[in-house]
Amino acid sequence: MLALLQLSASEVWPALLAGALAVSTLSDTVSHLSVGFAISAGLANTAELFVAAWWLRRRLGSTGCTREQSARIRKIRINPRWVR
C-alpha cells in the first residue's frame, strides 16, 4: 500500500487511505475482534501508512521516483513460485 501511495498522485490519497481503513477494520472484525478494537487498529494502521507515505514523499520529492522508474515498477510481475 505504501508503494501504491508513492506511485499515485496525492489527490487520490484520501480514497486510498479510506479503502485501507475499511479493509483493515473489516479484516479485524472478520477475525472476531470487537468492533471498537477493529476501528482503533484500523485508524492506527492508516495513520501509520499516511505518515510513512508523507515522510517518503517529502524526502524523495513529489512523486518519489521518476516516470521511467515508475513505468519499470508497474511492469513487475510476481512469480507464483515466489509466494509459498
Side-chain angles (χ1 to χ4, degrees):
M1 188 66 186
L2 183 58
L4 179 63
L5 286 173
Q6 289 304 302
L7 293 173
S8 63
S10 55
E11 291 82 23
V12 298
W13 280 21
L16 293 172
L17 291 171
L21 174 62
V23 169
S24 179
T25 303
L26 182 63
S27 70
D28 286 345
T29 55
V30 168
S31 299
H32 304 292
L33 297 173
S34 69
V35 174
F37 178 82
I39 292 171
S40 299
L43 286 171
N45 291 338
T46 305
E48 179 183 12
L49 177 62
F50 171 74
V51 169
W54 170 80
W55 184 82
L56 281 174
R57 178 75 53 106
R58 187 172 166 163
R59 296 286 294 165
L60 298 177
S62 63
T63 60
C65 60
T66 65
R67 288 182 190 255
E68 293 81 22
Q69 291 170 329
S70 178
R72 276 189 272 147
I73 291 169
R74 287 188 184 114
K75 290 181 182 177
I76 294 174
R77 299 288 184 252
I78 296 176
N79 187 337
R81 288 182 273 160
W82 297 346
V83 186
R84 289 190 186 205

